[in-house]
Amino acid sequence: MSKELINTEGMIKRFPMGNREFTALNGIDLKIGKGEFCGLVGPSGSGKTTILNIVGTLDIPSEGTVKVLGNDVGTLTAKMAAKLRNKHIGFIFQTYNLLPVYTVYENVELPLLLLGYDKAKREKMIMDALEWVDLVDKRDSRPSQLSGGESQRVAVARAMVKRPEIVLADEPTANLDSKNSFNILSMMENLNKELKTTFLFATHDEKVMKYLRRKISLVDGKIAKDERIK
Amino acid sequence: MLTIKLAFKNLISAGRRAWLNIIVLSIVYVMIIFMVGMMKGVFGKMEHETQVTEFANGQFWSENYDPQDPVNIRDYHQSYSDVKAYLSPDKACPILITPTTIYADGRSSVALLKGIIPEQSVMEMETEKLLIKSDFISVMIGKQMAKSAKLELGNIITLQVRDKNGVFDAVDAEIVHVMQHNIQSVDAGMIWMSLDDLQSLLNLKNEATYITISKEFDQKMSGWEFKDLDFLLADIKLLSFQKQTGAAIMNIIMLTLAALAIFDTQMLAIFRRKKEIGTLIALGMTQKHVKMLFTIEGLYYAILGIIMGLIYGIPLLWITSVKGINYGSFAEDFGMNMGSIVYPEFSFQLFLSSTLIVALVIMVVSYLPARSISKLNPTQVLKGK
Ligand SMILES: Nc1ncnc2c1ncn2[C@@H]1O[C@H](COP(=O)(O)OP(=O)(O)O)[C@@H](O)[C@H]1O
Ligand SMILES: [Mg+2]
């Protein structure tokens, strides 16, 4: 196992398009280590989401090897991939993706239920997570009663509650105003510093880029630039 | 365990449509039990009453007797002189049949005239009423015959028959009794008189068309053909089978409709909740797991529908089975004349089999839509596609 949490070598992803194929990722070599706060930036269609999907074991590369925490994504069984996501990877989406029938508390609880943690342990972890995002008083609200900023904070709590190694955030601020965007970004930055969680963003939002300590620029499925800031 | 809890929560929160499905399913479930129990009650009663009033423990038929051949019915009779010693009225009762034309109030109608021993106790018929004294020959009919031939108690009628030699003869008779039971086959289109009267009228001493026997009768009867209850009740059993098949088809249709509603709801749910499915996968569920979640969600329809059905169904069905159901005009639609009150029969077995069938059908319609979850692409459904 390499010391990198994420390690891709020659990652190629092709999608069928009619009777031809479309190459969305064309040879991506990327190493991301523990505690990084980095982002994939680039225009829409450059392949950011595709990379997050493969790193998040929701998809597999067409060619090349992708290792996440030492696991070869291309050869994982469905069960192993699910386990890896459940334990070590948190997702944050542009549209929050909270489950509408559950309360805030229950939404945050779901990953822990899947991990099989007992009630007391869950309760402690959920309350910690809700404190991180400052939503303890909304624990019994339903997603429909929350603002966009609050919803995304619940999503952050849900991603962070199990203290994963990696958080993958796909355009997390795209639906938020600037105040809420900064708010959520500083929360994530704090968590990154406190818990040493690795954050990998996909974004074309300038506000997000200000926070990134590493900016990986994508153009047409290739890395055009990979710069560390500060 | 987690799946079971989550599925329950999803269903509970699914709102009006889910509850509507559950209510409909519970009604169908109770209706199925009710209809089957009703059929059991109706045909059980019909079979039993027909047996005790008409067939007792079987019949010995005269040679060539064919009840389906009313044209030649006059010719089917033979002598029982050889066995007369065995024919005590509590063990065996000879019956003689001949066609007759009834004249009453200037109207005429045809019927079968049946001679029976008034003192017999083989069949549960009120034949002793034929002993009521009259200035004419005493005859009795059933209430259905009374209605259709417009006859009533006390009417004096003329019966025209042809005797052994084919010579026409006519006698006056008084209706001394109208039977109130509901057995069509000893009522519709027939008129009863004492066997002695009919035999002397036809000049057929010691002759009968058939002999109905009780359980105690154990003689061999050469020259007579024994028909057991299986044979005699075959028509009723066939009718019962047909009606029960009809009811079963109704049940299948009702259950199919309820199942379709649930299938539709589940299909729609999977279509609408694609993003949720993607999210669950991202949170660490396998597609198989999500598939199970949705299947169990569908199964809850069966569980809740059955529980709800039992909650109001058990008292409701219990009351109907104790108080009976007024079958009334419904009976005529069924082409039979049953007593107005029928007691449906609900057995534990009926509950069990209905429950299993409903659960099985709903299991299938929950599983079928959920199957498509395995084919979804998680990255696509996350986008809500
Ligand atoms: N499942 C798919 N089938 C076909 N084409 C796809 C699929 N997913 C992504 N693509 C294409 O791959 C390219 C990269 O997509 P994506 O990674 O979503 O870009 P980004 O997130 O940078 O906007 C786009 O041109 C997109 O149309
Ligand atoms: Mg994208």
Side-chain angles (χ1 to χ4, degrees):
Chain A
M1 185 172 154
S2 63
K3 68 178 168 36
E4 284 85 19
L5 294 189
I6 300 167
N7 188 354
T8 79
E9 277 169 22
M11 169 164 63
I12 292 174
K13 182 65 184 179
R14 297 188 199 93
F15 292 113
M17 255 195 138
N19 42 21
R20 313 242 309 281
E21 280 193 326
F22 172 78
T23 306
L25 299 178
N26 198 357
I28 302 282
D29 298 314
L30 188 61
K31 290 179 181 11
I32 296 173
K34 189 168 174 61
E36 287 203 45
F37 200 76
C38 57
L40 302 162
V41 301
S44 172
S46 55
K48 305 182 295 289
T49 298
T50 306
I51 292 179
L52 290 196
N53 284 340
I54 294 172
V55 169
T57 75
L58 294 172
D59 206 348
I60 52 169
S62 311
E63 269 178 48
T65 55
V66 175
K67 293 205 166 173
V68 175
L69 297 164
N71 300 280
D72 185 346
V73 173
T75 60
L76 283 179
T77 63
K79 217 170 173 168
M80 284 156 67
K83 189 93 206 153
L84 186 68
R85 288 195 298 275
N86 187 204
K87 236 183 146 116
H88 299 297
I89 303 175
F91 286 88
I92 297 170
F93 307 97
Q94 177 178 340
T95 52
Y96 328 132
N97 291 23
L98 301 180
L99 302 179
V101 304
Y102 301 135
T103 62
V104 165
Y105 186 95
E106 289 163 341
N107 264 283
V108 178
E109 186 178 30
L110 203 57
L112 305 182
L113 285 170
L114 289 171
L115 284 168
Y117 292 169
D118 65 50
K119 195 170 162 58
K121 184 170 181 183
R122 291 201 305 267
E123 167 125 39
K124 167 101 185 45
M125 294 176 88
I126 296 162
M127 292 320 284
D128 283 350
L130 289 178
E131 252 162 54
W132 295 335
V133 298
D134 197 19
L135 275 178
V136 175
D137 55 332
K138 296 273 181 188
R139 54 171 286 175
D140 295 322
S141 303
R142 308 246 164 210
S144 57
Q145 300 165 310
L146 302 177
S147 70
E150 288 168 335
S151 297
Q152 196 60 302
R153 273 146 64 198
V154 176
V156 170
R158 182 177 66 184
M160 291 301 301
V161 69
K162 61 200 180 190
R163 302 172 194 223
E165 303 279 343
I166 301 167
V167 169
L168 304 171
D170 196 351
E171 314 273 10
T173 57
N175 286 1
L176 301 178
D177 59 22
S178 54
K179 185 169 161 264
N180 275 308
S181 299
F182 285 127
N183 186 1
I184 209 135
L185 283 162
S186 58
M187 276 176 181
M188 290 196 271
E189 193 180 41
N190 285 340
L191 288 166
N192 162 260
K193 283 183 176 147
E194 252 175 62
L195 304 172
K196 299 281 168 287
T197 310
T198 300
F199 277 78
L200 177 58
F201 289 84
T203 188
H204 54 264
D205 182 350
E206 291 296 335
K207 298 189 287 299
V208 178
M209 292 181 205
K210 275 191 213 160
Y211 280 81
L212 297 178
R213 294 199 298 277
R214 179 181 172 192
K215 205 156 94 181
I216 303 146
S217 304
L218 286 181
V219 177
D220 290 341
K222 283 187 178 155
I223 296 179
K225 225 185 330 175
D226 186 348
E227 47 193 332
R228 291 181 192 266
I229 299 151
K230 284 175 232 169
Chain B
M1 196 55 212
L2 169 65
T3 321
I4 290 170
K5 260 196 275 186
L6 292 183
F8 189 70
K9 185 134 186 95
N10 286 342
L11 183 83
I12 291 298
S13 327
R16 227 175 332 163
R17 189 181 171 123
W19 286 109
L20 207 65
N21 282 338
I22 291 168
I23 291 168
V24 167
L25 186 64
S26 80
I27 293 172
V28 167
Y29 171 68
V30 173
M31 278 296 283
I32 288 174
I33 296 175
F34 175 73
M35 279 181 52
V36 174
M38 195 70 190
M39 286 289 145
K40 278 220 156 67
V42 168
F43 287 100
K45 179 175 167 164
M46 186 156 106
E47 215 177 294
H48 173 74
E49 292 194 354
T50 305
Q51 191 218 318
V52 296
T53 41
E54 189 181 7
F55 299 130
N57 207 44
Q59 294 178 334
F60 284 99
W61 286 10
S62 60
E63 255 173 83
N64 305 323
Y65 169 52
D66 178 4
Q68 313 298 336
D69 178 18
V71 180
N72 296 311
I73 192 91
R74 205 169 66 83
D75 304 329
Y76 300 134
H77 50 79
Q78 69 193 37
S79 169
Y80 54 80
S81 310
D82 299 350
V83 293
K84 197 173 177 183
Y86 311 129
L87 305 184
S88 61
D90 60 328
K91 286 193 180 132
C93 176
I95 288 167
L96 179 61
I97 306 178
T98 195
T100 183
T101 307
I102 305 169
Y103 296 93
D105 276 346
R107 288 173 283 114
S108 73
S109 56
V110 287
L112 287 180
L113 179 55
K114 298 192 171 183
I116 192 167
I117 295 173
E119 298 85 355
Q120 67 83 27
S121 59
V122 176
M123 292 152 274
E124 288 178 14
M125 253 174 86
E126 301 151 309
T127 49
E128 73 281 358
K129 302 285 190 191
L130 288 171
L131 296 172
I132 294 171
K133 287 276 183 292
S134 165
D135 293 340
F136 308 94
I137 292 182
S138 299
V139 294
M140 66 178 192
I141 54 177
K143 64 177 179 190
Q144 218 179 330
M145 175 66 175
K147 202 172 154 198
S148 64
K150 298 197 178 65
L151 298 172
E152 49 187 69
L153 191 68
N155 280 172
I156 311 296
I157 55 178
T158 303
L159 298 174
Q160 187 190 57
V161 294
R162 293 167 75 180
D163 73 9
K164 174 163 93 170
N165 305 313
V167 178
F168 280 104
D169 197 357
V171 288
D172 288 336
E174 179 183 352
I175 298 170
V176 297
H177 181 61
V178 177
M179 294 180 287
Q180 294 300 323
H181 64 62
N182 299 290
I183 304 306
Q184 204 171 356
S185 52
V186 297
D187 178 344
M190 58 191 73
I191 181 162
W192 297 84
M193 70 168 55
S194 87
L195 184 63
D196 281 346
D197 286 346
L198 187 58
Q199 283 174 341
S200 48
L201 189 60
L202 300 180
N203 206 0
L204 287 171
K205 201 96 204 104
N206 286 338
E207 301 230 359
T209 306
Y210 58 81
I211 299 167
T212 306
I213 59 161
S214 74
K215 259 202 185 71
E216 287 74 40
F217 189 84
D218 52 6
Q219 293 301 320
K220 291 238 183 311
M221 303 266 285
S222 65
W224 297 81
E225 202 179 330
F226 184 66
K227 302 292 182 187
D228 63 13
L229 283 176
D230 278 345
F231 175 86
L232 295 169
L233 289 169
D235 282 355
I236 287 182
K237 284 187 167 141
L238 181 66
L239 180 69
S240 160
F241 178 74
Q242 285 167 345
K243 296 295 181 193
Q244 293 195 43
T245 309
I249 289 170
M250 275 278 288
N251 286 339
I252 289 169
I253 291 171
M254 287 196 307
L255 187 55
T256 305
L257 290 177
L260 273 178
I262 291 168
F263 181 80
D264 188 53
T265 307
Q266 287 299 92
M267 281 301 269
L268 192 71
I270 287 167
F271 181 75
R272 275 202 316 221
R273 288 161 64 189
K274 278 194 172 162
K275 211 161 147 188
E276 182 179 332
I277 291 169
T279 306
L280 290 171
I281 293 168
L283 288 179
M285 282 193 177
T286 58
Q287 261 150 291
K288 250 194 200 151
H289 196 166
V290 179
K291 185 167 83 178
M292 196 157 79
L293 182 70
F294 276 76
T295 305
I296 292 175
E297 223 176 289
L299 259 186
Y300 272 117
Y301 285 111
I303 295 170
L304 293 181
I306 286 167
I307 291 175
M308 185 184 282
L310 289 175
I311 287 173
Y312 67 76
I314 286 179
L316 217 64
L317 296 175
W318 182 75
I319 289 171
T320 62
S321 74
V322 172
K323 298 230 164 188
I325 292 275
N326 200 325
Y327 217 50
S329 60
F330 195 45
E332 275 148 40
D333 300 342
F334 268 82
M336 54 197 176
N337 178 27
M338 290 302 308
S340 45
I341 303 282
V342 167
Y343 297 90
E345 288 169 24
F346 305 115
S347 57
F348 175 71
Q349 234 172 334
L350 172 57
F351 272 90
L352 192 70
S353 55
S354 312
T355 306
L356 286 179
I357 287 170
V358 168
L360 196 77
V361 168
I362 302 308
M363 196 137 80
V364 171
V365 294
S366 320
Y367 175 71
L368 288 181
R371 230 175 23 159
S372 67
I373 291 173
S374 314
K375 294 188 208 103
L376 295 175
N377 178 343
T379 65
Q380 291 295 97
V381 288
L382 266 173
K383 292 186 211 162
K385 280 188 195 162

